[in-house]
Amino acid sequence: MAIRKHSRKRDAILECVRSTTEHPAAEWVYSHLKDEFPDLSLATVYRNLAMFKDEGLVESLGTVGGIERFDGNTAPHDHFICTACNAVIDFEAPALPNALLEQVQTQLGAKLSGYRLHYYGLCRNCKNKKTN
Ligand code: ZN
Ligand code: MN
């Protein structure tokens, strides 16, 4: 079993992702920690986020506007992604109907263990800007 050296930076990066609902990118984490850790590099943030992802401590939401975004909340929940401002917003969507899930299983000849949906569109702010 590998023993990992205790690292204040590692702890701070994890805490930074967990303490926000921004669903931050690596750059966001870096800019929030660089004053506290002047020798921190963006590469270190990337490396630690990749490790946290492998360890199941954070989740990757995939890329939004070409940039990978992370979630420190690993409990099941849904996301709305604004295609104008790239905001990633937590919410609880209704479950998909069983008939639909069964249809997917039949179509694939597979057994589903779960699903993950992202909802896309204009967030309330961007929608209001468009209509004003
Ligand atoms: Zn928006
Ligand atoms: Mn989330």
Side-chain angles (χ1 to χ4, degrees):
M1 188 172 131
I3 295 172
R4 187 178 291 102
K5 196 176 69 171
H6 177 78
S7 159
R8 274 188 66 230
K9 268 182 230 166
R10 178 189 147 93
D11 292 348
I13 293 165
L14 182 57
E15 183 50 32
C16 184
V17 178
R18 283 182 167 165
S19 65
T20 179
T21 55
E22 285 290 314
H23 304 87
E27 293 267 5
W28 189 96
V29 174
Y30 172 69
S31 69
H32 277 73
L33 294 177
K34 67 178 195 291
D35 288 343
E36 192 184 342
F37 300 95
D39 63 335
L40 183 69
S41 70
L42 184 56
T44 298
V45 174
Y46 274 117
R47 198 179 56 241
N48 277 277
L49 289 173
M51 281 192 312
F52 297 151
K53 198 165 75 172
D54 287 346
E55 293 166 16
L57 297 174
V58 306
E59 274 178 25
S60 171
L61 300 177
T63 59
V64 176
I67 295 164
E68 187 173 20
R69 301 279 289 268
F70 297 91
D71 197 343
N73 176 8
T74 57
H77 62 284
D78 299 290
H79 293 106
F80 173 85
I81 298 173
C82 179
T83 53
C85 71
N86 293 334
V88 178
I89 298 162
D90 289 330
F91 78 110
E92 293 291 334
L96 293 181
N98 279 333
L100 179 109
L101 300 176
E102 274 159 29
Q103 195 185 322
V104 170
Q105 293 197 132
T106 305
Q107 199 173 325
L108 293 168
K111 172 131 186 63
L112 286 183
S113 55
Y115 58 87
R116 173 76 50 97
L117 287 178
H118 288 172
Y119 295 79
Y120 294 93
L122 294 177
C123 72
R124 191 182 315 219
N125 287 341
C126 292
K127 190 189 81 179
N128 291 341
K129 267 185 231 155
K130 274 259 156 74
T131 51
N132 287 346

Short mmCIF file of all heavy atoms in Angstrom, two decimals, residues 89-128:
data_model
loop_
_atom_site.label_atom_id
_atom_site.label_comp_id
_atom_site.label_asym_id
_atom_site.label_seq_id
_atom_site.Cartn_x
_atom_site.Cartn_y
_atom_site.Cartn_z
N ILE A 89 -25.16 24.44 -12.69
CA ILE A 89 -26.09 24.64 -11.58
C ILE A 89 -26.64 23.30 -11.11
O ILE A 89 -27.13 22.50 -11.92
CB ILE A 89 -27.23 25.58 -12.03
CG1 ILE A 89 -26.64 26.96 -12.41
CG2 ILE A 89 -28.30 25.73 -10.94
CD1 ILE A 89 -27.56 27.81 -13.26
N ASP A 90 -26.55 23.05 -9.79
CA ASP A 90 -27.09 21.82 -9.20
C ASP A 90 -28.61 21.89 -9.11
O ASP A 90 -29.16 22.94 -8.77
CB ASP A 90 -26.58 21.66 -7.76
CG ASP A 90 -25.11 21.32 -7.69
OD1 ASP A 90 -24.59 20.68 -8.62
OD2 ASP A 90 -24.49 21.69 -6.67
N PHE A 91 -29.26 20.79 -9.40
CA PHE A 91 -30.69 20.68 -9.10
C PHE A 91 -31.08 19.21 -9.08
O PHE A 91 -30.27 18.34 -9.43
CB PHE A 91 -31.53 21.48 -10.11
CG PHE A 91 -31.72 20.81 -11.45
CD1 PHE A 91 -32.96 20.31 -11.82
CD2 PHE A 91 -30.66 20.66 -12.32
CE1 PHE A 91 -33.15 19.70 -13.05
CE2 PHE A 91 -30.83 20.04 -13.55
CZ PHE A 91 -32.09 19.56 -13.92
N GLU A 92 -32.28 18.92 -8.59
CA GLU A 92 -32.78 17.55 -8.56
C GLU A 92 -33.82 17.40 -9.66
O GLU A 92 -34.91 17.96 -9.57
CB GLU A 92 -33.45 17.25 -7.21
CG GLU A 92 -32.48 17.21 -6.02
CD GLU A 92 -31.54 16.01 -6.05
OE1 GLU A 92 -31.90 14.97 -6.65
OE2 GLU A 92 -30.44 16.14 -5.48
N ALA A 93 -33.48 16.65 -10.70
CA ALA A 93 -34.43 16.39 -11.78
C ALA A 93 -35.29 15.20 -11.41
O ALA A 93 -34.86 14.33 -10.66
CB ALA A 93 -33.68 16.12 -13.08
N PRO A 94 -36.52 15.15 -11.93
CA PRO A 94 -37.34 13.96 -11.72
C PRO A 94 -36.65 12.74 -12.35
O PRO A 94 -35.94 12.88 -13.35
CB PRO A 94 -38.64 14.27 -12.45
CG PRO A 94 -38.55 15.65 -12.98
CD PRO A 94 -37.15 16.14 -12.82
N ALA A 95 -36.85 11.55 -11.75
CA ALA A 95 -36.28 10.32 -12.30
C ALA A 95 -36.87 10.04 -13.67
O ALA A 95 -38.03 10.40 -13.94
CB ALA A 95 -36.55 9.15 -11.36
N LEU A 96 -36.10 9.42 -14.54
CA LEU A 96 -36.63 9.02 -15.84
C LEU A 96 -37.62 7.88 -15.66
O LEU A 96 -37.46 7.05 -14.79
CB LEU A 96 -35.49 8.56 -16.76
CG LEU A 96 -34.48 9.63 -17.19
CD1 LEU A 96 -33.43 9.02 -18.11
CD2 LEU A 96 -35.16 10.80 -17.88
N PRO A 97 -38.67 7.84 -16.49
CA PRO A 97 -39.66 6.77 -16.36
C PRO A 97 -39.04 5.40 -16.63
O PRO A 97 -38.18 5.27 -17.49
CB PRO A 97 -40.69 7.10 -17.45
CG PRO A 97 -40.31 8.41 -18.02
CD PRO A 97 -38.94 8.78 -17.56
N ASN A 98 -39.49 4.38 -15.86
CA ASN A 98 -38.97 3.02 -16.03
C ASN A 98 -39.12 2.52 -17.45
O ASN A 98 -38.25 1.80 -17.96
CB ASN A 98 -39.69 2.06 -15.07
CG ASN A 98 -39.10 2.15 -13.67
OD1 ASN A 98 -37.92 2.50 -13.51
ND2 ASN A 98 -39.91 1.86 -12.68
N ALA A 99 -40.23 2.89 -18.11
CA ALA A 99 -40.48 2.44 -19.48
C ALA A 99 -39.33 2.86 -20.39
O ALA A 99 -38.89 2.11 -21.26
CB ALA A 99 -41.81 2.98 -19.99
N LEU A 100 -38.85 4.07 -20.18
CA LEU A 100 -37.75 4.59 -21.00
C LEU A 100 -36.46 3.81 -20.72
O LEU A 100 -35.74 3.43 -21.64
CB LEU A 100 -37.55 6.08 -20.72
CG LEU A 100 -36.40 6.70 -21.52
CD1 LEU A 100 -36.92 7.61 -22.59
CD2 LEU A 100 -35.43 7.42 -20.64
N LEU A 101 -36.19 3.56 -19.43
CA LEU A 101 -34.97 2.84 -19.06
C LEU A 101 -35.01 1.41 -19.61
O LEU A 101 -34.00 0.88 -20.08
CB LEU A 101 -34.79 2.84 -17.54
CG LEU A 101 -34.66 4.22 -16.90
CD1 LEU A 101 -34.60 4.13 -15.39
CD2 LEU A 101 -33.45 4.97 -17.44
N GLU A 102 -36.19 0.80 -19.55
CA GLU A 102 -36.34 -0.56 -20.07
C GLU A 102 -36.13 -0.58 -21.58
O GLU A 102 -35.51 -1.49 -22.13
CB GLU A 102 -37.71 -1.14 -19.71
CG GLU A 102 -37.70 -1.79 -18.33
CD GLU A 102 -39.09 -1.90 -17.72
OE1 GLU A 102 -40.07 -2.01 -18.48
OE2 GLU A 102 -39.19 -1.86 -16.48
N GLN A 103 -36.64 0.45 -22.24
CA GLN A 103 -36.46 0.56 -23.69
C GLN A 103 -34.98 0.68 -24.05
O GLN A 103 -34.51 0.06 -25.01
CB GLN A 103 -37.23 1.79 -24.18
CG GLN A 103 -37.45 1.83 -25.68
CD GLN A 103 -38.11 3.14 -26.09
OE1 GLN A 103 -38.98 3.66 -25.39
NE2 GLN A 103 -37.67 3.68 -27.20
N VAL A 104 -34.24 1.44 -23.25
CA VAL A 104 -32.79 1.59 -23.49
C VAL A 104 -32.10 0.25 -23.30
O VAL A 104 -31.25 -0.15 -24.11
CB VAL A 104 -32.20 2.67 -22.53
CG1 VAL A 104 -30.67 2.66 -22.59
CG2 VAL A 104 -32.74 4.04 -22.89
N GLN A 105 -32.47 -0.47 -22.25
CA GLN A 105 -31.87 -1.79 -22.00
C GLN A 105 -32.13 -2.73 -23.15
O GLN A 105 -31.24 -3.44 -23.61
CB GLN A 105 -32.41 -2.40 -20.70
CG GLN A 105 -32.01 -1.67 -19.47
CD GLN A 105 -32.21 -2.49 -18.20
OE1 GLN A 105 -31.30 -2.56 -17.39
NE2 GLN A 105 -33.36 -3.12 -18.07
N THR A 106 -33.37 -2.74 -23.62
CA THR A 106 -33.75 -3.62 -24.72
C THR A 106 -32.96 -3.27 -25.98
O THR A 106 -32.42 -4.12 -26.67
CB THR A 106 -35.26 -3.50 -25.00
OG1 THR A 106 -35.95 -3.77 -23.78
CG2 THR A 106 -35.71 -4.48 -26.06
N GLN A 107 -32.89 -1.97 -26.23
CA GLN A 107 -32.20 -1.49 -27.43
C GLN A 107 -30.73 -1.92 -27.43
O GLN A 107 -30.18 -2.26 -28.47
CB GLN A 107 -32.31 0.04 -27.45
CG GLN A 107 -32.06 0.69 -28.78
CD GLN A 107 -32.38 2.18 -28.70
OE1 GLN A 107 -33.29 2.60 -27.99
NE2 GLN A 107 -31.62 2.97 -29.40
N LEU A 108 -30.10 -1.89 -26.25
CA LEU A 108 -28.68 -2.22 -26.16
C LEU A 108 -28.44 -3.69 -25.84
O LEU A 108 -27.30 -4.17 -25.94
CB LEU A 108 -28.02 -1.37 -25.06
CG LEU A 108 -27.95 0.13 -25.31
CD1 LEU A 108 -27.56 0.87 -24.05
CD2 LEU A 108 -26.95 0.43 -26.42
N GLY A 109 -29.47 -4.39 -25.41
CA GLY A 109 -29.27 -5.75 -24.90
C GLY A 109 -28.39 -5.74 -23.67
O GLY A 109 -27.64 -6.67 -23.40
N ALA A 110 -28.48 -4.68 -22.89
CA ALA A 110 -27.58 -4.46 -21.76
C ALA A 110 -28.37 -4.36 -20.47
O ALA A 110 -29.61 -4.31 -20.49
CB ALA A 110 -26.78 -3.18 -21.98
N LYS A 111 -27.66 -4.35 -19.34
CA LYS A 111 -28.31 -4.10 -18.06
C LYS A 111 -27.82 -2.77 -17.53
O LYS A 111 -26.62 -2.58 -17.29
CB LYS A 111 -27.97 -5.24 -17.09
CG LYS A 111 -28.43 -5.02 -15.68
CD LYS A 111 -29.18 -6.22 -15.12
CE LYS A 111 -29.77 -5.95 -13.74
NZ LYS A 111 -30.79 -4.87 -13.77
N LEU A 112 -28.72 -1.82 -17.36
CA LEU A 112 -28.35 -0.49 -16.86
C LEU A 112 -28.09 -0.55 -15.36
O LEU A 112 -28.82 -1.21 -14.63
CB LEU A 112 -29.48 0.50 -17.10
CG LEU A 112 -29.76 1.03 -18.51
CD1 LEU A 112 -30.89 2.05 -18.45
CD2 LEU A 112 -28.52 1.66 -19.11
N SER A 113 -27.06 0.16 -14.92
CA SER A 113 -26.86 0.32 -13.48
C SER A 113 -27.11 1.77 -13.06
O SER A 113 -27.21 2.08 -11.88
CB SER A 113 -25.45 -0.10 -13.09
OG SER A 113 -24.50 0.61 -13.84
N GLY A 114 -27.22 2.67 -14.02
CA GLY A 114 -27.48 4.07 -13.69
C GLY A 114 -27.41 4.92 -14.94
O GLY A 114 -27.18 4.41 -16.03
N TYR A 115 -27.62 6.20 -14.76
CA TYR A 115 -27.50 7.12 -15.89
C TYR A 115 -27.15 8.49 -15.35
O TYR A 115 -27.33 8.79 -14.17
CB TYR A 115 -28.79 7.18 -16.71
CG TYR A 115 -30.01 7.59 -15.94
CD1 TYR A 115 -30.34 8.94 -15.78
CD2 TYR A 115 -30.84 6.64 -15.35
CE1 TYR A 115 -31.45 9.33 -15.06
CE2 TYR A 115 -31.95 7.01 -14.63
CZ TYR A 115 -32.26 8.36 -14.48
OH TYR A 115 -33.35 8.74 -13.76
N ARG A 116 -26.60 9.31 -16.21
CA ARG A 116 -26.20 10.66 -15.84
C ARG A 116 -26.62 11.59 -16.96
O ARG A 116 -26.27 11.37 -18.10
CB ARG A 116 -24.68 10.68 -15.64
CG ARG A 116 -24.06 12.03 -15.41
CD ARG A 116 -24.30 12.56 -14.02
NE ARG A 116 -23.98 11.61 -12.99
CZ ARG A 116 -22.82 11.57 -12.32
NH1 ARG A 116 -21.87 12.42 -12.61
NH2 ARG A 116 -22.64 10.69 -11.38
N LEU A 117 -27.42 12.59 -16.64
CA LEU A 117 -27.88 13.54 -17.64
C LEU A 117 -27.38 14.94 -17.31
O LEU A 117 -27.34 15.32 -16.14
CB LEU A 117 -29.41 13.61 -17.65
CG LEU A 117 -30.19 12.44 -18.24
CD1 LEU A 117 -31.67 12.72 -18.10
CD2 LEU A 117 -29.82 12.26 -19.69
N HIS A 118 -26.99 15.67 -18.32
CA HIS A 118 -26.77 17.11 -18.16
C HIS A 118 -27.85 17.82 -18.96
O HIS A 118 -28.12 17.45 -20.11
CB HIS A 118 -25.39 17.52 -18.69
CG HIS A 118 -24.27 17.06 -17.83
ND1 HIS A 118 -22.96 17.19 -18.20
CD2 HIS A 118 -24.25 16.49 -16.62
CE1 HIS A 118 -22.18 16.71 -17.26
NE2 HIS A 118 -22.94 16.27 -16.28
N TYR A 119 -28.46 18.83 -18.37
CA TYR A 119 -29.46 19.63 -19.06
C TYR A 119 -28.79 20.91 -19.53
O TYR A 119 -28.02 21.52 -18.78
CB TYR A 119 -30.61 19.96 -18.10
CG TYR A 119 -31.38 18.73 -17.67
CD1 TYR A 119 -30.87 17.90 -16.67
CD2 TYR A 119 -32.59 18.39 -18.25
CE1 TYR A 119 -31.56 16.76 -16.28
CE2 TYR A 119 -33.28 17.25 -17.86
CZ TYR A 119 -32.76 16.44 -16.89
OH TYR A 119 -33.43 15.32 -16.51
N TYR A 120 -29.03 21.31 -20.76
CA TYR A 120 -28.38 22.48 -21.35
C TYR A 120 -29.40 23.54 -21.73
O TYR A 120 -30.55 23.23 -22.06
CB TYR A 120 -27.62 22.09 -22.63
CG TYR A 120 -26.45 21.18 -22.38
CD1 TYR A 120 -26.59 19.80 -22.46
CD2 TYR A 120 -25.21 21.71 -22.06
CE1 TYR A 120 -25.50 18.96 -22.23
CE2 TYR A 120 -24.12 20.87 -21.83
CZ TYR A 120 -24.28 19.51 -21.92
OH TYR A 120 -23.21 18.68 -21.70
N GLY A 121 -28.96 24.79 -21.69
CA GLY A 121 -29.82 25.88 -22.13
C GLY A 121 -29.30 27.19 -21.60
O GLY A 121 -28.11 27.31 -21.27
N LEU A 122 -30.19 28.18 -21.52
CA LEU A 122 -29.82 29.48 -20.96
C LEU A 122 -30.28 29.53 -19.51
O LEU A 122 -31.44 29.22 -19.22
CB LEU A 122 -30.50 30.62 -21.73
CG LEU A 122 -30.06 30.80 -23.19
CD1 LEU A 122 -30.88 31.91 -23.83
CD2 LEU A 122 -28.57 31.11 -23.29
N CYS A 123 -29.37 29.91 -18.60
CA CYS A 123 -29.74 30.05 -17.19
C CYS A 123 -30.69 31.26 -17.05
O CYS A 123 -30.88 32.02 -18.00
CB CYS A 123 -28.50 30.23 -16.31
SG CYS A 123 -27.70 31.84 -16.48
N ARG A 124 -31.28 31.41 -15.88
CA ARG A 124 -32.25 32.48 -15.66
C ARG A 124 -31.68 33.86 -16.04
O ARG A 124 -32.32 34.62 -16.75
CB ARG A 124 -32.68 32.47 -14.19
CG ARG A 124 -33.87 33.35 -13.89
CD ARG A 124 -34.16 33.32 -12.41
NE ARG A 124 -34.11 31.92 -11.94
CZ ARG A 124 -34.94 31.41 -11.04
NH1 ARG A 124 -35.87 32.15 -10.52
NH2 ARG A 124 -34.82 30.15 -10.66
N ASN A 125 -30.44 34.13 -15.58
CA ASN A 125 -29.81 35.43 -15.88
C ASN A 125 -29.63 35.64 -17.38
O ASN A 125 -29.98 36.70 -17.91
CB ASN A 125 -28.44 35.54 -15.21
CG ASN A 125 -28.56 35.73 -13.72
OD1 ASN A 125 -29.62 36.11 -13.20
ND2 ASN A 125 -27.48 35.44 -13.01
N CYS A 126 -29.10 34.64 -18.04
CA CYS A 126 -28.83 34.78 -19.48
C CYS A 126 -30.14 34.84 -20.27
O CYS A 126 -30.23 35.55 -21.26
CB CYS A 126 -27.94 33.64 -19.96
SG CYS A 126 -26.26 33.73 -19.27
N LYS A 127 -31.13 34.10 -19.81
CA LYS A 127 -32.44 34.13 -20.48
C LYS A 127 -33.04 35.53 -20.37
O LYS A 127 -33.56 36.07 -21.35
CB LYS A 127 -33.38 33.10 -19.84
CG LYS A 127 -34.68 32.90 -20.60
CD LYS A 127 -35.65 32.03 -19.82
CE LYS A 127 -36.36 32.88 -18.79
NZ LYS A 127 -37.35 32.12 -18.01
N ASN A 128 -32.96 36.12 -19.17
CA ASN A 128 -33.50 37.47 -18.97
C ASN A 128 -32.76 38.52 -19.79
O ASN A 128 -33.37 39.43 -20.32
CB ASN A 128 -33.49 37.85 -17.49
CG ASN A 128 -34.49 37.02 -16.71
OD1 ASN A 128 -35.42 36.45 -17.29
ND2 ASN A 128 -34.32 36.95 -15.40
#
